[in-house]
């Protein structure tokens, strides 16, 4: 952004820092306006008054863009033509609301101000207006101001946001809380929120997203891992809808500047559901996400997750060992929490003490002691782990290994006779070893306790009603030759779309997996400091299947499609 004078408001003009030529003379001298058009505009100005520049634009003598360029040149102001130079709407509102000048004054005089890197900027239609200069001199004495010009529609857009934000702020003030509660209890709002929850359950959605915009707010639902827009509403209804969700989830309805978390337990569409609610401030209000967790899910069994027979046997072997660490890896939304819950259910034989440390506790499980961490009060994963080791556990589940301290306690627990289940964030299974080393864990401590690592993704299942058989794709024949023939089928399909799958071609999801057992040879390579490429090559030599290969096996049996597998394993 081009900087103007570093003087206080008004000093630049007093010291002759701006052009002494009038706007009309400047425009004629640069051949921007024909003399006849200038004379016509001046005649109108003498008759009805007004500023010369807008009159020239209205009569078609000059474009607004060219006028603003010449005004910036004449007045020593910066012309903010590019959208990236313009301020964020929320930054403008925050500066104006904290200014000693009343907010109504800025709106009435079409003045926008903001601060960036300690410098104040002022955007106005006329930066030489005496009222503007005197007001800024009085309320912001001694503060250098960079004056700016911008198209009128950009100024109007920023001021419209300020008006709406002020109205919402008044609504959320102490005087408006009662009104918010009344709005949240209105029958149409209650019905809207209840219908959204029922729709989400009927669609088997995992999340509901409420996203406010400048004029509308959208409701999107994540079905089988993909977001679909279900509803748009005028943004004026958003405070009432947000307040209703906050009210039933135990969140402070008057707080909208800080993130908040809540929970709803209710019977929705005939099913007992836990709903986790998260609110985060954003440019046009609050982004609200509801995570739906079905308390009646009957698929918490390893055999229902889509593992091939050899993978299932290998994974169960890790779980039922006397000690060691079993790691799961994958991005958010890849089904790690479901796999961990299924693993705990598999090892729960009634004679083991099982304790989990989670953030947050998602699936409530019988006969399992589940602990919620609270980092804001210092109750972290590491602190909780140190405490539960005195609770005589047999199996420990850690929601995520995030730091060196948690990793070291998990390793120590595994080395002293416990089975430890946890997750790390990596793209594939083999990378988990280098991730732990990057955290600061000694290579020999990584190699010794880890039984195996499993990476996973969730792919959408092909709809049984509209999928049709196809020949094996030519592009993957090389990959298929590397796989054991007895694992492959001949049921390749492509999807169309029908009412049963809501014309998406897919219905439900299934996991694809890669499992890497830690053999003696692999331990030696880890301790020796082998790089990631060497570790992957060794794992492949030992029979490890990649996510892509496991996905191809599922596609060959018609459970999913090659396109869906490719979407999730594109890097391979």
């Amino acid at each position: 952004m081009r900087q103007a004078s570093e003087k206080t408001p008004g000093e630049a003009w007093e010291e002759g820092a701006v052009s002494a030529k009038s706007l009309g003379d400047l425009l004629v001298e640069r051949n921007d306006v024909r003399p006849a058009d200038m004379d016509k505009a001046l005649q109108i100005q003498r008759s009805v008054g007004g500023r010369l520049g807008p009159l020239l634009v209205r009569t078609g003598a000059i474009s607004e863009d060219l006028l603003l360029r010449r005004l910036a040149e004449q007045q020593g102001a910066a012309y903010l033509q590019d959208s990236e130079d313009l301020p964020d709407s929320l930054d403008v509102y925050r500066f104006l609301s904290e200014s000693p000048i009343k907010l109504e004054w800025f709106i009435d005089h079409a003045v926008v101000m903001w601060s960036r890197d300690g410098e104040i900027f002022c955007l106005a239609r006329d930066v030489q207006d005496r009222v503007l200069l005197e007001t800024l001199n009085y309320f912001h004495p001694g503060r250098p101001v960079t004056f700016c010009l911008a198209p009128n529609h950009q100024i109007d857009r920023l001021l419209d946001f300020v008006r709406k934000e002020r109205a919402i702020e008044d609504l959320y003030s102490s005087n408006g809380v009662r009104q918010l509660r009344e709005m949240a209890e209105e029958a149409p709002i209650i019905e809207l929120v209840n219908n959204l929850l029922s729709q989400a359950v009927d669609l088997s959605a995992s999340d509901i997203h409420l996203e406010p915009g400048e004029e509308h707010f959208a409701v999107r639902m994540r079905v089988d891992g993909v977001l679909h827009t279900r509803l748009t509403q005028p943004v004026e209804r958003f405070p009432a809808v947000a307040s209703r969700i906050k009210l039933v989830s135990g969140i402070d309805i008057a707080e909208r500047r800080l993130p908040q978390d809540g929970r709803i337990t209710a019977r929705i569409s005939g099913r007992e559901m836990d709903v986790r609610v998260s609110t985060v401030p954003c440019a046009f209000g609050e982004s609200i996400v509801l995570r739906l967790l079905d308390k009646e899910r009957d698929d918490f069994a390893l055999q229902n997750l889509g593992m091939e027979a050899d993978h299932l046997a290998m994974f169960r072997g890790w779980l039922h060992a006397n000690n060691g660490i079993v790691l799961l890896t994958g991005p958010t939304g890849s089904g790690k929490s479901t796999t961990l819950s299924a693993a705990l259910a598999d090892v729960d034989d009634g004679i083991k003490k099982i304790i989990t440390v989670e953030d947050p506790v998602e699936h409530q499980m019988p006969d399992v002691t589940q602990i919620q961490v609270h980092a804001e009060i210092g109750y972290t994963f590491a602190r909780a782990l140190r405490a539960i080791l005195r609770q005589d556990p047999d199996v420990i589940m850690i929601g995520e290994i995030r730091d060196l301290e948690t990793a070291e306690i998990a390793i120590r627990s595994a080395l002293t006779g416990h089975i430890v289940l946890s997750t790390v964030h990596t793209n594939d299974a083999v990378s988990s070893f280098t991730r732990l080393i990057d955290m600061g864990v000694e290579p020999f401590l990584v190699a010794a306790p880890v039984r195996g690592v499993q990476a996973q993704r969730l792919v959408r299942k092909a709809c049984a009603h509209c999928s049709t058989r196809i020949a094996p794709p030519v592009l993957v024949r090389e990959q298929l030759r590397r796989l054991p023939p007895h694992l492959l089928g001949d049921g390749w399909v492509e999807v169309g779309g029908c009412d049963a799958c809501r014309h998406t071609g897919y219905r439900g999801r299934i996991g694809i997996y890669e499992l890497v057992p830690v053999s003696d040879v692999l331990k030696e390579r880890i301790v020796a400091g082998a790089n990631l490429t060497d570790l992957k090559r060794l794992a492949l030599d030992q029979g490890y299947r990649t996510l892509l290969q496991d996905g191809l096996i599922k596609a060959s049996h018609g459970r999913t499609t090659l396109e869906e597998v490719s979407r999730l394993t594109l890097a391979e």
Side-chain angles (χ1 to χ4, degrees):
M1 182 186 297
R2 185 166 60 86
Q3 301 293 314
S5 173
E6 292 295 327
K7 304 297 181 181
T8 57
E11 289 180 354
W13 289 272
E14 293 171 5
E15 296 183 10
V18 296
S19 173
K21 293 181 180 178
S22 68
L23 176 63
D25 291 340
L26 189 62
L27 292 173
V28 172
E29 180 185 286
R30 298 293 180 87
N31 295 320
D32 296 326
V33 177
R34 292 184 303 173
D37 290 333
M38 179 63 68
D39 291 340
K40 180 180 178 181
L42 289 172
Q43 184 178 356
I44 296 174
Q45 186 183 42
R46 285 192 293 268
S47 301
V48 300
R51 292 181 295 157
L52 179 62
L55 288 175
L56 288 167
V57 174
R58 286 175 196 157
T59 58
I62 191 174
S63 68
E64 184 188 34
D65 176 68
L66 185 53
L67 171 66
L68 290 173
R69 290 180 185 277
R70 295 296 178 250
L71 280 173
E73 180 182 341
Q74 182 214 22
Q75 299 175 358
Y79 177 34
L80 307 187
Q81 180 187 17
D82 298 328
S83 57
E84 58 265 22
D85 287 337
L86 289 162
D88 180 76
S89 303
L90 196 57
D91 291 339
V92 170
Y93 175 75
R94 286 172 178 163
F95 184 91
L96 298 187
S97 61
E98 295 170 2
S99 172
I101 308 173
K102 288 187 176 181
L103 197 61
E104 289 77 8
W105 184 91
F106 290 106
I107 295 173
D108 292 342
H109 290 80
V111 174
V112 171
M113 295 184 69
W114 70 99
S115 177
R116 184 183 296 166
D117 299 328
E119 185 178 356
I120 295 178
F121 296 88
C122 177
L123 181 62
R125 291 191 171 99
D126 183 2
V127 297
Q128 286 183 310
D129 180 40
R130 280 294 167 188
V131 175
L132 169 64
L133 299 175
E134 290 171 3
T135 303
L136 295 185
N137 275 328
Y138 182 80
F139 287 101
H140 293 282
R143 295 290 302 275
V145 175
T146 297
F147 288 95
C148 309
L149 296 168
N152 284 334
H153 73 273
Q154 296 287 9
I155 297 177
D156 292 338
R157 177 183 64 82
L158 293 169
L159 292 174
D160 283 343
F161 178 85
V162 170
R163 290 189 190 94
K164 291 177 182 178
E165 194 70 11
R166 180 186 59 176
I168 295 174
E169 190 73 27
D170 292 342
L171 195 60
Y172 280 91
S173 66
S174 57
N175 295 329
V177 171
R178 178 182 296 180
Q179 184 181 354
L180 278 174
R181 290 185 179 276
E182 292 174 355
M183 292 166 58
E185 296 291 353
E186 290 177 356
I189 298 300
I190 294 174
E191 183 179 358
L192 174 60
V193 173
N194 290 345
N195 284 340
L196 290 177
L197 290 169
S198 298
Q199 283 184 42
V201 173
D202 293 342
L203 291 169
S204 299
S206 59
D207 303 88
I208 305 173
H209 294 246
L210 285 83
E211 302 165 336
E214 192 168 2
E215 297 180 355
H216 299 88
F217 76 90
V219 178
R220 300 200 291 170
M221 298 184 184
R222 189 178 296 278
V223 181
D224 295 335
V226 179
L227 279 173
H228 301 272
T229 300
R230 299 292 299 177
L231 180 72
T232 57
Q233 291 276 297
V235 75
E236 289 77 15
R237 299 194 72 186
F238 184 76
V241 175
S243 297
R244 179 63 190 172
I245 294 171
K246 288 181 175 183
L247 193 64
V248 296
S249 60
I251 293 177
D252 183 4
I253 64 173
E255 178 58 70
R256 58 185 291 269
R257 293 189 176 276
L258 293 173
Q260 296 189 87
D261 295 299
R263 198 179 195 112
I264 303 170
T265 300
R267 187 169 181 82
I268 306 170
S269 287
R271 302 188 69 84
E272 293 294 330
M273 303 292 295
D274 269 338
V275 183
R276 275 179 27 217
V277 181
S278 170
T279 70
V280 175
C282 63
F284 297 102
E286 291 176 283
S287 171
I288 301 177
V289 177
L290 295 84
R291 167 66 59 88
L292 281 71
L293 304 167
D294 192 345
K295 299 173 75 172
E296 301 178 5
R297 284 180 61 177
D298 55 2
D299 58 355
F300 282 141
L302 288 177
Q303 62 269 22
N304 295 337
L305 301 185
M307 293 186 189
E308 301 301 320
D310 58 338
H311 275 175
L312 180 61
M314 184 186 301
F315 191 67
R316 276 183 167 152
W318 299 345
L319 296 177
H320 293 278
N322 292 326
N323 56 67
I325 296 178
V326 178
L327 290 176
L328 273 63
T329 181
T332 301
S334 59
K336 299 189 298 297
S337 296
T338 299
T339 302
L340 285 173
S341 298
L344 292 178
D346 201 76
V347 300
D348 185 11
D349 54 8
I351 61 174
K352 290 186 176 71
K353 174 73 171 182
I354 302 174
I355 302 180
T356 73
V357 183
E358 305 173 64
D359 183 24
V361 174
E362 289 195 357
H363 306 292
Q364 296 179 354
M365 304 184 65
D367 305 321
V368 176
T369 303
Q370 294 176 276
I371 298 171
Q372 167 79 54
V373 302
H374 294 283
E376 63 274 11
I377 61 172
Y379 194 44
T380 60
F381 277 108
R383 188 169 182 180
L385 279 172
R386 286 194 295 269
I388 67 174
L389 288 176
R390 296 189 289 273
Q391 293 278 309
D392 188 30
D394 297 297
V395 179
I396 300 170
M397 191 274 275
I398 307 168
E400 182 185 350
I401 295 178
R402 301 176 178 174
D403 51 49
L404 176 59
E405 187 177 12
T406 304
E408 288 178 337
I409 297 174
I411 290 169
R412 188 160 62 247
S413 301
L415 292 173
T416 54
H418 304 88
I419 284 290
V420 179
L421 308 179
S422 190
T423 69
V424 291
H425 280 292
T426 60
N427 290 327
D428 54 59
V430 179
S431 298
S432 301
F433 306 120
T434 56
R435 176 78 181 101
L436 291 174
I437 293 172
D438 289 341
M439 285 184 190
V441 180
E442 293 293 336
F444 72 92
L445 287 177
V446 172
V450 178
R451 292 273 174 184
V453 182
Q454 171 181 289
Q456 64 182 75
R457 301 288 189 275
L458 292 176
V459 295
R460 293 180 292 174
K461 293 193 289 187
C463 175
H465 296 86
C466 62
S467 58
T468 54
R469 296 284 291 271
I470 61 172
V474 177
L475 292 174
V476 295
R477 286 180 180 174
E478 180 61 31
Q479 286 283 352
L480 296 178
R481 279 195 286 268
R482 302 176 188 175
L483 295 172
H486 69 277
L487 293 177
L488 296 172
D490 58 356
W492 300 88
V493 297
E494 63 181 7
V495 295
C498 63
D499 291 339
C501 61
R502 296 177 178 85
H503 302 280
T504 63
Y506 300 94
R507 191 174 182 182
R509 288 191 290 178
I510 191 172
I512 57 174
Y513 305 90
E514 59 182 29
L515 277 71
V516 177
V518 183
S519 64
D520 291 338
V521 177
L522 189 58
K523 287 181 181 180
E524 291 176 3
R525 296 286 180 86
I526 294 171
V527 173
N531 60 38
L532 183 60
T533 302
D534 291 339
L535 294 177
K536 285 184 177 181
R537 187 178 297 112
L538 178 60
L540 286 169
D541 292 342
Q542 295 178 347
Y544 144 85
R545 286 201 303 272
T546 65
L547 287 168
L548 173 60
Q549 292 172 331
D550 196 57
L552 292 177
I553 291 173
K554 304 227 174 8
S556 73
H557 290 281
R559 301 176 198 167
T560 187
T561 64
L562 178 61
E563 290 77 13
E564 181 67 6
V565 173
S566 300
R567 182 177 71 87
L568 269 298
T569 61
L570 190 59
E572 297 188 53

